[in-house]
Amino acid sequence: MNTCKTALRIIWAHKFYLLLYLVGMSLIMIVIGSTNVQAAVRANASSSIGRFEPARAKVVVINRDSGNQAGCELGQGLKKYLGKSAQLVTVEDKTQALQDANVSGKSDLTVIIPAGYGQRFLETLEDTAAQARSGGKTTAFPKVETAASYNSSRGSLAQLQVDSYFDAIRTALLSGLGQNDSTDLHSPAAVKDAATYAVAHYAGSQPHVGIHASPKNDDGALLKGFATTVGLAAFPLMTALTVCVATLFGAFSSPDRHRRLLASPIWSSSLNGQELTAALIVAGVSWAYYVALVAFSMAASGVSLASLGWGRVLLSFFVMLIFAVSAASFGFMLSQFNPSSSLINSVGVTFGLVVMFTSGSSSGGPLPPVMQTIGKLTPGWWYNTAVQSIMDSNAAGPASWGLPLIVVALFALAYACVGLMVSRLTRTRATLVAPVSSDPSMIG
């Protein structure tokens, strides 16, 4: 296990790569992913349907016939009737004040009961009853003065309620509804009883509006946000593991170290196995770190992983693990070409960006066909497809995510095979004899 420990020390000596590519980039990806999750949480919180409250019109009722008993009863009943659906506003009974309230929006409707209105109402009621008995033509009932504001349509709707109130009063008086054994159905006492009846039966005279709440898939946005957060792991994992694993194997594949390893009594298979174990440990630690980061970000957003379904969550994390192995395999393949440190960083960052932008995890909609074609040549597109299919509640079973998962695993196998082939070609030409030095100082 000395080789494995040495490999881990090599990784630790280059811990700056892990801090920069894994920790730094992952925090940025988590912030981007948590934004979508928090938006879904806010949408779900605001989607709860409570009691429907229509807009209340602001109404001014001026009763200039309060000195008459019938007019007083009509005015008081009107205020109670409108008070069930409108907001009564007090304004001074002056022309300038009423006009200012109407123009400024302080009131949506001004209702004025003129002087003598109650008496005229009763006289018209008597005439209507007499004409109804004789079959003659009835006269129209007197109207109150109304002025609706042009700033809002609520005043016009409230005006309809005013008309509904007086129609209910007239109907109650003519038919005797709500009367408390009044001998004279057209007396002020009868008007009071009719107004009380109209107010009590207010709800029955209003149009009924039914509110039907269509069920909303509250978990759909959360599942999509979680899938986006997991999918954004493609960039930090691919970049960090490519650079770290390539640096690890590159340290053992230099000519001098390679000759010393070939001269050692340890089997080559054992050395390769310990190097591979170190690479897998780095991949496993990187995967565990990102899983913990995703779980923390979801908890910080107020979303429980259990609410998303442990089966889906664990399967998504398993797909992330396979992708991490694929990234480590790519780093192993890159190291077999003996690149320089600067080239390893350049290839790791570039390939990581290509994987992220062609995987679809960083875009809000479908990718252009050209980018989809490029993405299918990398494991990132298949990784994001597998995660999105797992979190899609409408997915058609394991077949929707099983095939992309297999493709990600095949990418890891293909990278490893190419790396082994290149290693085989380079190591068969290696020699245990150091090249002869041409340094003149060594002569004589």
Side-chain angles (χ1 to χ4, degrees):
M1 295 297 292
N2 290 332
T3 304
C4 181
K5 294 178 181 179
T6 301
L8 293 178
R9 284 198 295 269
I10 292 174
I11 294 296
W12 184 249
H14 297 83
K15 55 183 174 293
F16 175 75
Y17 295 151
L18 288 174
L19 294 176
L20 176 62
Y21 297 129
L22 181 61
V23 178
M25 296 302 177
S26 63
L27 291 177
I28 297 176
M29 297 298 106
I30 287 295
V31 170
I32 297 175
S34 62
T35 302
N36 297 328
V37 175
Q38 292 173 2
V41 171
R42 289 192 297 268
N44 289 342
S46 62
S47 66
S48 58
I49 300 178
R51 181 182 177 183
F52 174 71
E53 292 289 346
R56 297 173 64 90
K58 292 174 288 185
V59 180
V60 177
V61 177
I62 303 297
N63 189 358
R64 295 175 180 173
D65 195 33
S66 58
N68 180 272
Q69 187 176 359
C72 181
E73 297 295 343
L74 287 174
Q76 291 180 357
L78 179 61
K79 290 182 179 180
K80 293 179 181 179
Y81 190 89
L82 294 177
K84 290 181 174 292
S85 60
Q87 177 185 355
L88 297 179
V89 180
T90 302
V91 177
E92 189 178 2
D93 187 9
K94 291 183 179 180
T95 303
Q96 185 67 37
L98 294 175
Q99 291 178 352
D100 291 343
N102 186 275
V103 173
S104 63
K106 184 179 180 180
S107 67
D108 298 314
L109 177 67
T110 302
V111 181
I112 300 177
I113 301 177
Y117 178 83
Q119 186 62 34
R120 292 197 303 271
F121 186 88
L122 292 178
E123 292 174 356
T124 307
L125 190 66
E126 291 283 357
D127 182 67
T128 301
Q131 295 295 335
R133 288 191 296 268
S134 62
K137 184 178 179 181
T138 60
T139 59
F141 275 79
K143 295 288 187 179
V144 295
E145 300 176 11
T146 58
S149 173
Y150 60 86
N151 293 324
S152 173
S153 61
R154 293 192 292 267
S156 300
L157 295 177
Q159 188 171 0
L160 296 178
Q161 292 180 328
V162 173
D163 296 337
S164 176
Y165 166 74
F166 286 103
D167 289 341
I169 293 288
R170 182 186 61 183
T171 303
L173 289 173
L174 291 175
S175 59
L177 295 175
Q179 302 301 314
N180 296 324
D181 299 330
S182 299
T183 56
D184 186 3
L185 297 181
H186 304 153
S187 64
V191 173
K192 180 179 180 181
D193 293 339
T196 303
Y197 175 83
V199 173
H201 293 77
Y202 164 83
S205 62
Q206 301 304 310
H208 295 278
V209 179
I211 303 173
H212 302 279
S214 58
K216 180 181 178 180
N217 186 12
D218 293 338
D219 293 336
L222 292 177
L223 292 174
K224 185 177 180 180
F226 176 80
T228 302
T229 304
V230 174
L232 288 172
F235 176 62
L237 288 180
M238 178 59 72
T239 304
L241 291 177
T242 296
V243 174
C244 292
V245 173
T247 302
L248 166 63
F249 283 97
F252 284 94
S253 61
S254 63
D256 292 339
R257 293 190 183 92
H258 182 55
R259 282 192 295 269
R260 287 197 296 268
L261 291 174
L262 290 178
S264 65
I266 304 176
W267 290 95
S268 298
S269 59
S270 177
L271 293 174
N272 295 334
Q274 294 186 50
E275 295 175 13
L276 180 61
T277 300
L280 292 178
I281 290 176
V282 175
V285 170
S286 302
W287 169 79
Y289 163 77
Y290 206 93
V291 166
L293 203 58
V294 170
F296 175 78
S297 68
M298 297 297 289
S301 300
V303 179
S304 173
L305 294 180
S307 64
L308 304 178
W310 281 115
R312 292 174 175 175
V313 172
L314 295 178
L315 193 56
S316 300
F317 288 155
F318 176 73
V319 176
M320 187 194 298
L321 179 61
I322 301 300
F323 178 79
V325 174
S326 176
S329 299
F330 182 80
F332 166 73
M333 180 189 70
L334 179 62
S335 66
Q336 302 309 310
F337 293 93
N338 294 324
S340 62
S341 177
S342 59
L343 183 59
I344 289 175
N345 283 271
S346 299
V347 173
V349 173
T350 303
F351 189 66
L353 290 174
V354 171
V355 167
M356 182 182 70
F357 287 114
T358 59
S359 66
S361 59
S362 59
S363 61
L367 294 174
V370 176
M371 296 188 67
Q372 290 186 16
T373 303
I374 298 175
K376 291 179 180 179
L377 300 177
T378 67
W381 192 87
W382 301 96
Y383 163 67
N384 185 63
T385 302
V387 174
Q388 294 287 348
S389 299
I390 292 171
M391 288 298 163
D392 187 4
S393 57
N394 299 323
S400 59
W401 54 264
L403 179 60
L405 177 59
I406 294 175
V407 174
V408 175
L410 290 177
F411 266 103
L413 182 61
Y415 291 149
C417 290
V418 172
L420 290 174
M421 181 185 67
V422 175
S423 176
R424 178 68 177 175
L425 293 176
T426 55
R427 294 194 178 191
T428 51
R429 294 181 175 85
T431 177
L432 294 177
V433 181
V436 178
S437 175
S438 60
D439 188 356
S441 63
M442 301 296 294
I443 301 177

